Amino acid sequence: MKKILLVSGAALMLVASSAQAQERKLVISVYGFAQDAFKTILYDTFEAKCGCKVVVETGNSVERLAKLEANKENPVIDMAVVATPDALAATRAKLIEPIDVTKLSNYEKLYDIAKDPIGGHMSVGYTFYATSIVYRSDKITINSWNDLFSKELAGHVAFPNVTTNQGPPTLYMIGKAMGKDTPDLKAPIEKVAEHKDDFVTFYVRSSQLTQLMQQEEIWAAPIGRFAWEGFAKMDLPIKWATPKEGQTGGMNVMVLVKGAKNKDLAYQFMDFWLSTEIQTKLAERLIDSPANKEVKLPAAVAENLTYGEDLVKSLDLQPAEAILDNRESWLSQWNAKVGQ
Amino acid sequence: MFQNRAESLALALPAALFAAVVFIVPVLILLSEGLRLGGDWSLAHYVSFLSTPLNLTVFIRTLKLGALVTVAAAVIGYAAALCIVNLSSRNRGRMVGLIVLPLMISPVARTYAWIVILGRTGIVNQALTSIGLTDAPLRILFSETAIFIGLLQLFLPLMIISLVSALENMPRDAISAARVLGANWLQVFWKVILPLTKEGLVIGGTLVFTGSLTAYITPAILGGSKVLMLETLLYQRVTIANDFASASVIAMILIVMSFSANLLLKRLATARAKR
């Protein structure tokens, strides 16, 4: 009888604790890539730590912002990750609220560029990447962004479409190389249009590029560092350029949804994601470059990521405001001049 | 009778409600975006879209490619379907299986395969140079030709399956009868096969044309932004400009084009049947 009572009591406790765990639920909205690794490294370990349930929604930034807007009055997502221009768009639409950085114990461990990327503590950077030019070192040498237009490379370059994440940063650096770096990107777009027949294609997916490089369709292409690993594995002499005008890139940030129902959990989760332990594990799997400067990586891993204080300091990122305010006009100019 | 009709309507009601909620209402909401300007009903978005020269160029290119792919699919589809229906039932099943197989592979993978085939070092260029048709490899990738080939390969199975099904339902002795009466093969096709398989042609043509109009990944990868299509523009309006009004205008144009193609094919089929 005593045994039965004990077993029943234990079962009741289990049910009660599981019910309690179900009540504590954090809803996050993130990018769809590498979700298996994120689940193992981040979500499952956080669930075990907080005794809560992490509900993950995936999709692109547009879908995410559309969902936040649709549920503005009754938010269903607690925290989201987006690119900096989208975080600014969400700020302007009053969809997110300032982050109380005193609740993030790992905040001071972040590189300065990740601490307050769009101002007002509306976001906090968790990863970034460099953008430069990948090229066949046996065919050509690249020292400047202007080299993309050289006669030697004509007919051998894939240029990112303006609709991709790499398009505007590449145009931004070309503008710098031309000495005409106005946010409207008018001069670089015109230059690309003048040379448009010299480009093999204006790519929409960086996954296309390894195939094109392997088939010798192209010798060079501007890419984000996250795509470098595919090139590094090729049995071809391929280098990552360090142009004299510098490298640009992009950053992904965490945002706190306005009126989030589980703010405390959201803060705990953000802090956990920014911790040295998690950032190291994600970097070791080559998923995200660490925004936490305490992360130490072996050379073989580091060379595939955007890593190290010097490199991070040298990144010349396009201001989120310039991207958000100009992207529609960039698209119109691009379609009219390059897409005709 | 009335009771039967009421019962039928009652039985159809859940399906109709489901279709309305899941398909019709969202489409109507999307389309209404293009007819609103600052809260008022207006055609301004349509006028603005159609008065832009770039958009008209893209519209004509999309229509032209859709029509070319459909015609090519019909020609190849009839040839393939006629061969298939003449096989034994066992081999026919195997052939249909082989034709359906590509439909189970992602369009992304199928499109990437064309990058290998049509590239400068691909088999097409190798063949052209080895038989002496060209001195140097041609630039086939990232052109309208590449998109045409990609779309044709993507949607041809739908046309073949529709035509095989139509040919299987055709009276077996119709062709023999026409031949006995002295018709040559062209006359047999034009006066017997085509009228008797018009339903299959209409279904296949509509599927191929609509698919070609709305495919995104193949034109985006095989054309890049050098060859803009309507669906590429639609994607840009939503993802970059967050402009659902213009996107809704493009969606409406695509819907109208698809319906028009269906009506045109039906009309042509009916006209042939009346002759």
Side-chain angles (χ1 to χ4, degrees), chain A residues 161 199 207 211 217 328 335, chain B residues 119-120 139 226 236-237:
Chain A
N161 196 314
F199 294 114
S207 52
Q211 195 179 4
E217 295 282 336
E328 193 164 351
N335 280 347
Chain B
R120 276 197 281 212
R139 169 68 64 206
K226 276 184 184 170
Q236 288 181 351
R237 296 317 298 166

Side-chain angles (χ1 to χ4, degrees), chain A residues 60 62 65-66 155-156 161-164 196-208 211-212 215-218 327-328 331-332 334-336 338-340, chain B residues 53-54 57 61 108 112-113 115-121 139 141-142 216-217 220-228 233 235-244:
Chain A
N60 62 35
V62 177
L65 290 181
H156 298 286
N161 196 314
V162 79
T163 56
T164 65
K196 72 174 180 178
D197 293 331
D198 292 339
F199 294 114
V200 175
T201 185
F202 295 97
Y203 73 82
V204 288
R205 291 184 178 216
S206 54
S207 52
Q208 272 179 278
Q211 195 179 4
L212 292 177
Q215 286 175 219
E216 306 221 358
E217 295 282 336
I218 58 165
R327 61 185 172 189
E328 193 164 351
L331 182 62
S332 311
W334 179 273
N335 280 347
V338 183
Q340 281 277 33
Chain B
L54 171 72
T57 308
R61 181 185 292 144
V108 179
Y112 273 58
I115 296 181
V116 180
I117 296 165
L118 301 175
R120 276 197 281 212
T121 53
R139 169 68 64 206
L141 276 179
F142 313 116
Y216 168 72
I217 200 71
I221 289 179
L222 294 179
S225 60
K226 276 184 184 170
V227 193
L228 282 173
L233 275 189
Y235 180 81
Q236 288 181 351
R237 296 317 298 166
V238 173
T239 56
I240 307 297
N242 203 18
D243 176 4
F244 284 85

